[in-house]
Amino acid sequence: MQNNVLILDFGSQYTQLIARRVRELNIYSEIKPYNNPPKDLSIYKAVILSGSPHSVREGNPPHPDLSEIKGKKPLLGVCYGAQYLAHFHGGEVGQSNTREYGRANLSMIKEGEPFLEGVSANSQVWMSHSDTIKKLPEGAVRIASTHDVENAGYRIEGEDTYAIQFHPEVYHSTDGKKILENFLVKIAGVAQTWTPDAFVETTVADLKSKIGNDRVILGLSGGVDSTVAATLLHKAIGKNLHCIFVNNGLLRKNEYTDVLKQYEGLGLNVKGVDASARFLDALEGESDPETKRKAIGRVFVEVFDDESKLVENATWLAQGTIYPDVIESVSATGGPSATIKSHHNVGGLPDYMKLNVVEPLRMIFKDEVRRVGATLGLSQELLGRHPFPGPGLAIRILGDITREKVRILQEVDHIFIKGLRDWGLYDKVWQAGAMLLPVNSVGVMGDERTYEKCVALRAVESTDGMTADWVHLPYEFMQKVSNDIINKVKGVNRVVYDISSKPPATIEWE
């Protein structure tokens, strides 16, 4: 526990990427809001201050108390973090003559600096700020510059405090990972012991200690997260794990029966519960995305409450929550970032449901979940499954939900996903799906005019879901899939393809 890295989040869109890059170095990192930092700092060997949409020149800028960190622990300020350390410690931050955003190159690197060891001259870095450090703080030594930014990097004499006005976590910063490694390994002395094997060993031991001989109910979805969570729990508590797979009526075509068959070979104790009518009735007439998510979450909990009463002495509810779910659900009152969307498996249970919650994957990213699954011996076919949202097709049907709309989207989605598999494209895509739009358009089929639904296809490549780019699928494939959908799915006469990246768009449309 002494080899953890704390990242204080000031609201930057890149904060999650810092955590990812640190984890790639086999070092455990976690994100905490700057305005609600951990009370016990003894478990952290180094601290990183994130960027921010705020300016230190604002009337009331983010201003945490760093008295127990600065000068006492290795500290790295990134972008806003660098400007914060300058502004509040004798330096000066002013508005830049030009907004410093995008690619730049290091024109000066101070020799003999362990922080920049192995960083090549003219190394490309990524800037994203409109303020700049005009005067360094007390005791600071300039260690890097670009053509436009004189104080691109500095350190504080007599401390392990470093600061940079660029983002090392972004792939556009070509030596960014090396800089983070220099800081964490060479300067802070953090051990690189965060591996899937270590995670499995530690997590299984923690689960045994926490749960003991209690019985646990776990909701399986057929996806990677819940399956890996179930396998970890099974390894820890064996027959005391009771898995439930709920059909919410919003799954992919044939998903309910296919997934139940899939789990037969894993040795898990699984019960199927068809509650599709219950979910669809609860969604009737609802069109607001957040309302739909919350309705699904509410019924999900109600179903589990009913099922938990059938498992004698069940005291725990396990969920496959992963770190991006937690990060994206942080609200403006609990942290510096506004809520993007609520996740139905984040946030606890109502008082009437007398179950404790256990989330063995809560602090790891999607790609780490897959590596943990491989360590546990799960098949590549299962681990390679695309992510699928907890609320299912409800958030891929824009507007209100009807059984007919679900049928249409299931058929469209089935053609698209089967096509990706048939063309050898499935494993080259991180996530794919179809959206049913609340739009009718005019078409011609035969000699008749039609006025039917439009569907949007979405396929993205990503590492962890925090950022994503749209996939350049072959035109021939797109033509074939479009023709198949329009010819085979009654009610659809137009197909479009989503070419938005995340950010600014999210992967799902709702």
Side-chain angles (χ1 to χ4, degrees), residues 241-376:
L241 174 65
H242 296 258
C243 299
I244 298 168
F245 178 44
V246 176
N247 181 8
N248 60 10
L250 301 160
L251 302 174
R252 286 181 154 140
K253 184 179 180 180
N254 301 327
E255 185 98 348
Y256 183 56
T257 53
D258 290 349
V259 167
L260 285 175
K261 289 178 183 176
Q262 184 183 59
Y263 283 131
E264 287 176 2
L266 295 179
L268 299 174
N269 176 19
V270 182
K271 176 184 178 182
V273 179
D274 188 352
S276 52
R278 195 165 169 178
F279 281 89
L280 292 171
D281 288 346
L283 287 166
E284 187 174 353
E286 299 291 354
S287 58
D288 178 72
E290 280 296 293
T291 303
K292 289 195 289 186
R293 283 177 178 271
K294 292 184 185 302
I296 291 167
R298 174 178 54 78
V299 177
F300 183 79
V301 169
E302 290 172 358
V303 170
F304 265 82
D305 187 42
D306 293 344
E307 291 300 322
S308 68
K309 293 170 183 173
L310 303 179
V311 179
E312 191 176 352
N313 298 322
T315 53
W316 295 87
L317 173 65
Q319 294 180 318
T321 311
I322 63 173
Y323 207 20
D325 299 340
V326 177
I327 293 168
E328 289 193 347
S329 291
V330 171
S331 70
T333 56
S337 301
T339 299
I340 298 170
K341 55 192 174 187
S342 66
H343 288 261
H344 78 287
N345 55 342
V346 176
L349 299 170
D351 292 337
Y352 69 80
M353 192 170 180
K354 307 301 182 185
L355 292 175
N356 301 305
V357 175
V358 58
E359 298 167 313
L361 308 178
R362 183 180 178 85
M363 298 306 291
I364 64 176
F365 290 91
K366 174 69 76 173
D367 59 313
E368 293 174 314
V369 173
R370 288 194 168 104
R371 293 204 295 272
V372 167
T375 295
L376 291 167

Side-chain angles (χ1 to χ4, degrees), residues 77 82 106 108 110 115-116 127 133 136 140-146 149-155 162-166:
L106 295 179
M108 187 281 285
K110 191 173 185 294
F115 182 76
L116 295 171
M127 298 284 189
I133 298 171
L136 291 175
V141 176
R142 183 183 305 112
I143 59 174
S145 303
T146 69
V149 183
E150 184 180 19
N151 298 313
Y154 65 88
R155 63 174 170 82
Y162 292 79
I164 48 180
Q165 288 201 85
F166 55 88

Side-chain angles (χ1 to χ4, degrees), residues 42 65 94 139 146 148 165 199 220 223 256 333 339 375 377 420 423 431 488 492 497 510:
S42 64
D65 178 9
T146 69
D148 294 319
Q165 288 201 85
F199 176 81
L220 287 171
Y256 183 56
T333 56
T339 299
T375 295
L420 288 171
W423 283 62
Q431 184 172 355
K488 296 178 180 178
V492 175
Y497 186 55
E510 287 192 345

Side-chain angles (χ1 to χ4, degrees), residues 156-175:
I156 305 296
E157 292 273 30
E159 300 179 7
D160 286 329
T161 298
Y162 292 79
I164 48 180
Q165 288 201 85
F166 55 88
H167 290 273
E169 69 274 18
V170 177
Y171 281 121
H172 301 302
S173 294
T174 51
D175 291 313

Side-chain angles (χ1 to χ4, degrees), residues 96-108:
S96 176
N97 293 331
T98 58
R99 179 164 163 77
E100 294 158 356
Y101 184 87
R103 294 173 177 82
N105 297 91
L106 295 179
S107 57
M108 187 281 285

